[in-house]
Amino acid sequence: MSVSTAEKEERTPARHRGNWIEDWRPEDPSFWRRTGRKIAWKNLGVSIVAEHLGFNVWTLMSTVVVGLDEAGHSFGVGQKFWLLILPNLLGALLRVPYTFAVPRFGGRGWTTTSVCLLLVPCAMLAAAVAAENTPYWFFLLTAATMGVGGGNFSSSMTNISFFFPEHRKGLALGLNAAGGNIGVAVSQLLVPLVVHLGTGVSLSYAALMWMPVIILTAALSWRFMNSLTAAKPDNGSYREALTSGHTPVMALLYVGTFGSFIGFSFAFPSLIGIAFSDFSSFTGLAFVGALIGSVARPLGGWFSDRIGGARITMWNFLGLAAGTVGVLAGTRLDNFAVFFGSFVLLFVLTGVGNGSTYRMIPPVFVREAEQRAARTGEDLETAHRAAKRRSGAVIGVVGAVGAFGGVLINLIFKFSLQATGTLTPALMSVLLLFLLCAATTWWCYLRADIPRADRARAADA
């Protein structure tokens, strides 16, 4: 009995060449059900662990810096903030090349390599804190190398996006992003406990505790992950993304959300000790902010699906402005409860804003593609496919630019404390940033004089 070509294709599993998969059809329901789903979720599981570990190492200095004085390394406030700024800066810069590494080296090969690179900052930190006369420049170099953990986010998200069909990418990427972000909280929870094991403080434990986990995760990545030959770079979409007027707008909004999240995460333990020295023992609770912010990220997407990404984003920025006023009131009134509670609110809202801002991007570029198709006569289906590629490229660009927001936040805190000895100028600057982002969201996507059809699509974004 003859078998049709379609039936033969349906029965044919994904073709492998070693750990490279040459035939990958996630949009084919039968292929996905029979073969693709199991492979994709296996790769996602290992990817979450690898990205989580990257965030553990990326934010490691935020917990180490508060114990430097006790360990015999006395640096000024400005010097300590540079130790927080450099991981932010290098992590943001590395997000661009890390995005293109997966198509070049394969998801399996690059994930394994990027995890192994995390051993470098851990080894350097262990050496830096081992002797009391370690020069400051070596601490700076160590902090900079921790940026490799920040680059992991882009390569991990890029890699996983190729494995899943369009209608499942939201869940997969949301789990991947949340699993990475929670690494900040895990690091800030566990490191203070580990460095105080035994007598005194042993900051070398902060580095050594991650090294066996890094080696194990690298082995798991090499053993269980796959690479897709279909994961090819789309350089044309990146060029188009850079020329779109929406890209700088979305980048600004993501600076206000993710940039604030990662900037606050780095600074929060130090700010507790600086602003409320009598409550310095509470720095161990700093993990609560990062944890709640990470968990809140999927809520931003969920609310946006029901209410509209632009609406949620605008109101979220107004909430962030109110939370900043609360932090400012806590410092002015010398009220730790108000300060801490308001900062936790900021973390919640930055998490929600991360999700809602990302949710805005695809519909905005679909609308732009439809307008161009109406002008040029381009086929609508072709325009929609191009919009998907372009929005994917924009997500990569926005993610890289947004990470620079963490640098901005910590520079603001540094200069404020050095110039005035207080957080007031810094908090006023952050307040203005959030109000600017709220106004930008309203002006670009929600104001009444935008054409009705465009406003409806933007509001749903």
Side-chain angles (χ1 to χ4, degrees):
M1 184 172 65
S2 63
V3 180
S4 68
T5 302
E7 289 173 329
K8 288 180 180 179
E9 187 176 84
E10 181 176 332
R11 295 176 186 176
T12 303
R15 293 193 300 271
H16 290 252
R17 178 169 47 85
N19 282 87
W20 284 84
I21 299 178
E22 297 179 330
D23 177 30
W24 188 251
R25 292 172 278 117
E27 301 297 342
D28 179 347
S30 61
F31 177 88
W32 176 256
R33 184 173 56 254
R34 184 185 63 257
T35 303
R37 179 170 54 192
K38 180 180 178 181
I39 294 174
W41 281 96
K42 177 190 67 175
N43 279 270
L44 175 60
V46 181
S47 178
I48 289 174
V49 176
E51 189 188 337
H52 179 92
L53 197 55
F55 272 79
N56 289 151
V57 175
W58 189 23
T59 56
L60 188 56
M61 189 60 78
S62 69
T63 53
V64 169
V65 74
V66 297
L68 287 176
D69 289 340
E70 189 178 355
H73 305 280
S74 297
F75 301 127
V77 171
Q79 290 177 308
K80 289 179 180 178
F81 266 94
W82 277 117
L83 296 178
L84 302 178
I85 291 166
L86 283 178
N88 266 273
L89 179 60
L90 270 294
L93 290 172
L94 288 174
R95 286 191 169 196
V96 177
Y98 269 54
T99 298
F100 293 96
V102 169
R104 176 67 179 85
F105 301 104
R108 171 185 178 242
W110 184 250
T111 301
T112 304
T113 301
S114 63
V115 171
C116 288
L117 287 174
L118 299 176
L119 290 170
V120 176
C122 288
M124 292 181 68
L125 178 60
V129 299
E132 292 187 6
N133 60 349
T134 302
Y136 177 64
W137 67 263
F138 191 80
F139 275 97
L140 288 175
L141 185 60
T142 300
T145 60
M146 290 178 181
V148 298
N152 280 11
F153 178 85
S154 288
S155 59
S156 180
M157 296 290 275
T158 299
N159 182 45
I160 292 304
S161 70
F162 288 114
F163 278 94
F164 285 81
E166 286 295 331
H167 69 285
R168 297 183 184 272
K169 282 185 180 180
L171 174 62
L173 294 177
L175 291 173
N176 202 45
N181 289 353
I182 289 174
V184 181
V186 170
S187 184
Q188 291 181 346
L189 170 63
L190 295 183
V191 170
L193 298 176
V194 171
V195 299
H196 286 94
L197 291 176
T199 57
V201 56
S202 300
L203 292 181
S204 60
Y205 294 168
L208 298 175
M209 65 181 286
W210 299 114
M211 298 179 79
V213 186
I214 291 171
I215 294 170
L216 176 61
T217 303
L220 291 174
S221 302
W222 187 254
R223 173 65 180 84
F224 292 107
M225 292 191 75
N226 303 99
S227 298
L228 302 177
T229 58
K232 300 297 182 184
D234 188 357
N235 295 331
S237 292
Y238 277 94
R239 285 193 294 270
E240 292 174 3
L242 292 174
T243 61
S244 171
H246 291 292
T247 301
V249 174
M250 299 310 302
L252 170 64
L253 301 185
Y254 204 57
V255 164
T257 56
F258 179 77
S260 297
F261 170 78
I262 200 66
F264 291 157
S265 296
F266 272 90
F268 195 30
S270 295
L271 294 181
I272 292 174
I274 292 170
F276 294 89
S277 57
D278 292 341
F279 292 86
S280 57
S281 60
F282 283 77
T283 55
L285 293 177
F287 79 94
V288 173
L291 176 62
I292 294 178
S294 301
V295 173
R297 181 167 183 149
L299 291 177
W302 187 83
F303 283 127
S304 297
D305 287 340
R306 287 152 180 78
I307 301 173
R311 291 192 185 98
I312 292 296
T313 299
M314 186 190 72
W315 286 107
N316 192 73
F317 276 120
L318 292 176
L320 283 165
T324 305
V325 172
V327 175
L328 185 60
T331 58
R332 298 293 292 271
L333 299 174
D334 199 28
N335 189 314
F336 179 74
V338 172
F339 171 86
F340 190 88
S342 298
F343 237 119
V344 169
L345 175 63
L346 290 180
F347 275 107
V348 172
L349 294 176
T350 55
V352 171
N354 286 341
S356 66
T357 305
Y358 255 31
R359 171 64 176 77
M360 288 175 64
I361 294 174
V364 164
F365 282 88
V366 167
R367 176 170 60 88
E368 186 180 57
E370 290 174 347
Q371 291 174 334
R372 185 170 56 253
R375 292 194 306 268
T376 64
E378 181 184 7
D379 176 67
L380 198 57
E381 184 177 346
T382 302
H384 283 170
R385 286 198 299 268
K388 286 182 180 180
R389 293 194 301 270
R390 195 172 298 115
S391 62
V394 170
I395 285 173
V397 173
V398 166
V401 176
F404 281 102
V407 180
L408 175 65
I409 293 293
N410 280 284
L411 280 173
I412 289 173
F413 284 133
K414 173 186 178 295
F415 291 131
S416 175
L417 289 167
Q418 283 187 312
T420 68
T422 71
L423 296 175
T424 299
L427 293 171
M428 293 299 296
S429 300
V430 171
L431 174 61
L432 291 175
L433 170 65
F434 291 148
L435 292 175
L436 172 63
C437 290
T440 300
T441 307
W442 173 80
W443 178 262
C444 293
Y445 303 114
L446 295 173
R447 58 191 167 93
D449 57 342
I450 295 176
R452 185 179 181 86
D454 292 349
R455 189 169 69 252
R457 178 64 67 91
D460 290 339

